[in-house]
Amino acid sequence: MRFLSNEHVRQGLNIPQVIDLVETVYRARSEHNTETWPTIFYDFVPGAADMDIKSGYVKSAKIFGHKTVTWFAENVAKQMPALMGLINVFDAETGKPIGITEASFITGIRTGASGAIGAKYLARKDSENLLIVGSGNQAIFQIASALCAFPSLKMVRVAARDLEKLRTFVDTIPTRLQAEFGVNTEEVTFQAADSLEQAVKASDIIITVTPSRTPILKSEWVKQGTHISCMGADMEGKQEIDSNLMSEAKLFVDDKEHCMQAGEIELPLKEGKLLESHICGEIGDLISGKIEGRTSDEQITIFDATGMAILDIYAANIALQMAEEKDFGVKIEM
């Protein structure tokens, strides 16, 4: 078997490839060729340090596995990554371990792909203005993926509470996109948003990537025809957008059961501001053509994604296959 560090994984995966493989897994789920198993979550320090273990089975690829990820906010001050973890991949026919990869890059790139896929299938085709809410680790992945999936984008705004950190981040975006993802940005303008309200009002596509437990996007700010991909709410109690907005929008999810338990729709459902019947369906069914997406340029659309281990496992398996073909990574004898 092999072990791949994040740098090794970068050699085996790129943005267009990951967008394609995430769509493949979404389709497989729609065709009942996947299983996702219950998440194990533990809060070491609420809001500051936690761990989760997600697992699943991709029947069509004959693999299963699990991902253990930790998030320790104070690591940044210790010159360590806040997000760390491992993905373990197994052969579903023999149970043999195939390999292990570091988890942070795969988590970042497949989450970025998911946010972009939500926009690809639900945003207006003439969308030109993107807003990323949040400037943490996930932001650069969302920008890179959105630009690849939606080449018509001309303006990318980023909003965050820490304005100094935000401006530093925005200044580095073009260089990072070229160096880390090979994304050319000559025709795209990047801007730090001074006002979240004004940025929301000016945006065609909004992707939220914050750990907020209090809604930060108000329904009255969102113009008709906007698409929102909600990527930050991935555990109970998190919420990024106004509950009232959910009932006004055409709503899609990645994993209905998990989103109802721990996604952006969790609290609106519990508050009674959203009914389960309002959920139009899962993104895999939309990609497969089983359900209808946007039907007018005036509709507000929302994609709620909590993330699924099957995406990480499938991406890790592709990276491991590339490592086998090109002979990189560390070989481990069992």
Side-chain angles (χ1 to χ4, degrees), residues 27-314:
R27 286 194 193 95
R29 177 176 171 82
S30 176
E31 295 160 3
H32 308 290
N33 275 325
T34 67
E35 295 282 349
T36 54
W37 299 318
T39 298
I40 297 171
F41 174 79
Y42 186 75
D43 239 344
F44 294 100
V45 180
D50 58 52
M51 174 281 302
D52 64 41
I53 302 171
K54 295 181 177 179
S55 58
Y57 174 21
V58 185
K59 299 175 186 177
S60 51
K62 299 178 181 178
I63 55 171
F64 69 95
H66 57 87
K67 177 178 81 165
T68 299
V69 171
T70 65
W71 178 72
F72 282 65
E74 293 186 5
N75 280 2
V76 177
K78 301 173 184 176
Q79 306 300 310
M80 295 172 63
L83 181 75
M84 292 187 281
L86 296 172
I87 302 168
N88 294 260
V89 185
F90 297 81
D91 185 319
E93 293 186 308
T94 64
K96 177 185 175 182
I98 294 172
I100 300 171
T101 73
E102 282 195 276
S104 57
F105 182 77
I106 286 178
T107 299
I109 197 169
R110 67 85 168 155
T111 305
S114 294
I117 288 167
K120 176 181 175 181
Y121 284 93
L122 290 168
R124 298 190 334 270
K125 300 307 177 188
D126 62 349
S127 297
E128 295 185 345
N129 296 284
L130 169 68
L131 170 63
I132 304 294
V133 184
S135 61
N137 177 69
Q138 183 54 222
I140 195 70
F141 291 100
Q142 294 294 336
I143 296 168
S145 300
L147 290 173
C148 287
F150 230 97
S152 64
L153 292 173
K154 302 298 182 187
M155 167 68 76
V156 176
R157 296 180 178 87
V158 185
R161 292 176 178 174
D162 187 332
L163 295 181
E164 184 177 348
K165 177 184 174 184
L166 170 63
R167 291 192 174 91
T168 300
F169 170 69
V170 171
D171 288 344
T172 65
I173 289 173
T175 302
R176 288 189 64 188
L177 288 175
Q178 182 64 55
E180 297 176 30
F181 304 102
V183 176
N184 189 301
T185 62
E186 290 180 2
E187 298 183 6
V188 184
T189 300
F190 299 93
Q191 190 177 96
D194 293 322
S195 163
L196 177 59
E197 178 180 352
Q198 293 306 313
V200 170
K201 289 178 176 179
S203 299
D204 305 310
I205 299 170
I206 301 171
I207 302 177
T208 59
V209 280
T210 77
S212 181
R213 291 178 176 269
T214 304
I216 51 178
L217 257 67
K218 297 183 179 180
S219 59
E220 60 264 30
W221 297 348
V222 180
K223 68 181 181 181
Q224 287 189 332
T226 301
H227 168 73
I228 306 172
S229 288
C230 303
M231 312 304 295
D234 57 358
M235 64 180 67
E236 288 186 28
K238 286 187 176 182
Q239 186 178 14
E240 298 181 288
I241 67 175
D242 189 340
S243 294
N244 294 323
L245 185 58
M246 285 289 183
S247 60
E248 299 167 4
K250 196 163 186 182
L251 175 62
F252 297 82
V253 297
D254 61 349
D255 177 334
K256 183 177 177 180
E257 182 179 355
H258 196 225
C259 284
M260 290 174 65
Q261 294 171 348
E264 188 66 33
I265 63 175
E266 176 220 347
L267 293 177
L269 285 167
K270 289 178 177 176
E271 293 166 354
K273 294 183 178 180
L274 181 71
L275 299 176
E276 182 179 344
S277 59
H278 193 76
I279 302 168
C280 296
E282 294 191 352
I283 194 77
D285 291 336
L286 177 60
I287 293 169
S288 299
K290 295 180 180 180
I291 56 176
E292 194 172 39
R294 174 183 291 276
T295 55
S296 79
D297 285 346
E298 289 71 43
Q299 286 175 334
I300 294 171
T301 56
I302 294 176
F303 174 46
D304 179 15
T306 58
M308 298 180 287
I310 50 177
L311 298 174
D312 303 287
I313 295 160
Y314 190 75

